[in-house]
Amino acid sequence: MMRRKRGNGAAPAGAVAPASRLIRWGVPAGALVLGAFSVAGLAPLNWWWLPLITLCALMLLWRNAGPRRAAWLGYLFGLGWFCAGVSWVYVSMHDVGGMPAPIAGLATLLFAAYLALFPALAGWLQAKLRAGCPAPHWHALLLVPAAWAFAEWLRGWLFTGFPWAALGYAHTGGPYAGYAPLFGVGGLNYLSACIAALLAWCATLLCDKARLRDTWVPLAIIAATMLAGIELRHVEWTQPEGAPLQVSLFQGNIPQELKFVPGRFESTLATYKQLVEAHPAPLMVLPETALPRFLSDIPRDYLHELALFAASRNANLITGVPRADEHGYYNSAISLGADPVQSYDKTHLVPFGEFIPYGFRWFVALMNIPLGDFARGTTRPKPMQLGGRYVAINICYEDLFGEEIIRQLPRANLLVNISNIAWFGDSLAVPQHLQISRMRALETRRPMLRATNTGATAAIDEHGRVLAQLPYFTVGALSATVQPRRGTTPYILWGNWPMVSFCALVLALCAWRARQARLPA
């Protein structure tokens, strides 16, 4: 009777080696973790270098993956990225909005799952069109960054767009910030992917002893882009306009759950009136919906006293207040004081917060939102002319869209954002939104003033630096001096279209070359 020979015989049918099992499960889990870690590159940690490393690791996972595999890895990366990066959506729905925790958690997960489709698209595109690149360096320099930046632009446009937590924001304060006035955050998305792809290329060269000397090429390109970014920060794209301006920015710290409660209205008005009278300045700014009733319902005497107080000091005050007319009601800002009354109506509305997408009214009914469907303001707003200066207003979420902010430029020489982020509690949304405003200042090379209900109330200079800031969740007034600016930047002139057109051209060219490569000779 023969005995079965031990040793290196074949494994039983269907058995999976431990190493293969580790790879099968470890790679997807790694992509998920990489995406979650990428958020540390954004505020409040601001580790600008970390997304370059996580993107580099993702691109190494993409290296030999087919289109479906690359899309799946990109999707998992995006799921980790957005579950961490927009976790404050749960806070707004459950902690503040009162939605049951399971529904709020599921809604947040589904939202992150939708956003993850865009990095999945980037993975699929770069793998599908890889055959259209004549050499690895073209894949690193052109195709992968173009696929990534185009997918990110699409995320900021489709269904009114949601470009929050874009990894380009990680460079608001890093060595690449100098590129913002040229290409905006969309260009920084491209640059981030380009640097990451170069790092991935360098890593593959280091693993190949025969090509070890070639590592100087990607390293030299990375060093050159970094040095150029540092030098670009010193370019004065805009010039001072008039004398420095003293401002007062007010933070009422009205809890969201009490903001619209009957009986709190009078105390809210009193809080802001006291702040205004105690801290006058040539320009005073109150937050979004600081006056939490329709303009027609605000006591006339109260508005008259505010206007008279400001006018007596040759000053102007901007306040957020909802207003209504025959076309609907608007989330608005109005001015009171020395100059004629002017208004601005919010154009880019928040889905589920300011307008209800078709078929989702039942969902919004689960949240305690007293105002649901706003009308949109004009898409060609004019800046307010106050005290001889032109002030470009944007309300809360609108400063996420740089291509819309520049509609009031170059005429405006000062940006003002009024917000109510109390909906998001003490979450990542607060420092991330401040970072977004800093990017708008960088792109336009103009100061940005932020007046918020609970934070972050801040004055930002034209280089994106925070000059002064109030602590979160406090009642107070922030006094600061800013320098209005005139002039233009390439981003003001062209917006996102050079970047989008370039990415589309690269993708189209690679698609054509890939198709040619598949055709029989």
Side-chain angles (χ1 to χ4, degrees), residues 62 81-82 114-126 143-158 162-163 166 186 189-190 499-500 503-504 507:
W62 278 348
W81 172 15
F82 295 116
Y114 159 71
L115 296 175
L117 293 172
F118 295 95
L121 173 64
W124 184 86
L125 281 172
Q126 64 83 33
L143 177 55
V144 177
W148 182 269
F150 186 80
E152 279 293 272
W153 171 81
L154 196 62
R155 178 165 71 92
W157 174 79
L158 196 63
F162 190 81
N189 287 333
Y190 182 96
M499 183 275 299
V500 175
C503 291
L507 294 173

Side-chain angles (χ1 to χ4, degrees), residues 167-178:
L167 298 183
Y169 284 111
H171 303 295
T172 304
Y176 296 107

Side-chain angles (χ1 to χ4, degrees), residues 175-414:
Y176 296 107
Y179 291 97
L182 278 75
F183 311 117
V185 73
L188 287 170
N189 287 333
Y190 182 96
L191 185 62
S192 296
C194 188
I195 299 300
L198 286 167
L199 289 172
W201 180 22
C202 187
T204 58
L205 291 174
L206 288 173
C207 296
D208 185 354
K209 292 183 180 180
R211 303 187 63 194
L212 199 60
R213 294 180 181 178
D214 294 338
T215 55
W216 72 270
V217 177
L219 291 176
I221 297 172
I222 292 171
T225 57
M226 183 176 291
L227 290 173
I230 293 171
E231 288 301 312
L232 283 169
R233 294 207 68 164
H234 303 299
V235 176
E236 292 295 331
W237 296 102
T238 59
Q239 300 78 43
E241 174 79 4
L245 176 66
Q246 290 183 321
V247 300
S248 288
L249 312 174
F250 302 111
Q251 183 172 290
N253 195 35
I254 311 298
Q256 189 61 39
E257 60 271 19
L258 300 177
K259 191 176 179 72
F260 297 98
V261 170
R264 288 285 305 196
F265 176 68
E266 290 75 14
S267 63
T268 298
L269 296 188
T271 295
Y272 283 115
K273 189 170 185 291
Q274 291 166 8
L275 287 171
V276 168
E277 292 177 346
H279 303 276
L283 180 63
M284 299 171 281
V285 187
L286 276 63
E288 176 187 18
T289 60
L291 311 183
R293 286 187 184 174
F294 287 110
L295 181 61
S296 57
D297 296 330
I298 306 295
R300 296 291 97 186
D301 291 345
Y302 181 84
L303 294 173
H304 179 71
E305 288 174 10
L306 285 181
L308 191 62
F309 177 82
S312 67
R313 287 157 176 78
N314 197 30
N316 289 281
L317 179 147
I318 299 169
T319 183
V321 58
R323 71 174 192 89
D325 63 18
E326 65 275 13
H327 302 294
Y329 57 88
Y330 303 86
N331 188 353
S332 301
I334 64 167
S335 69
L336 303 168
D339 287 292
V341 174
Q342 297 161 71
S343 66
Y344 169 84
D345 300 323
K346 188 175 184 181
T347 300
H348 205 123
L349 305 180
V350 182
F352 301 103
E354 292 171 324
F355 79 94
I356 304 172
Y358 180 77
F360 283 92
R361 188 166 293 277
W362 64 272
F363 180 81
V364 176
L366 294 172
M367 300 177 65
N368 185 27
I369 302 179
L371 298 174
D373 270 321
F374 284 96
R376 289 177 171 84
T378 176
T379 57
R380 293 293 174 187
K382 295 181 179 179
M384 292 184 182
Q385 188 173 0
L386 303 173
R389 298 173 178 87
Y390 292 93
V391 180
I393 309 292
N394 59 89
I395 299 178
C396 197
Y397 175 77
E398 286 188 306
D399 73 341
L400 199 57
F401 302 91
E403 68 275 19
E404 296 178 9
I405 299 296
I406 61 175
R407 291 172 182 170
Q408 300 184 62
L409 302 173
R411 190 179 190 188
N413 44 44
L414 183 67

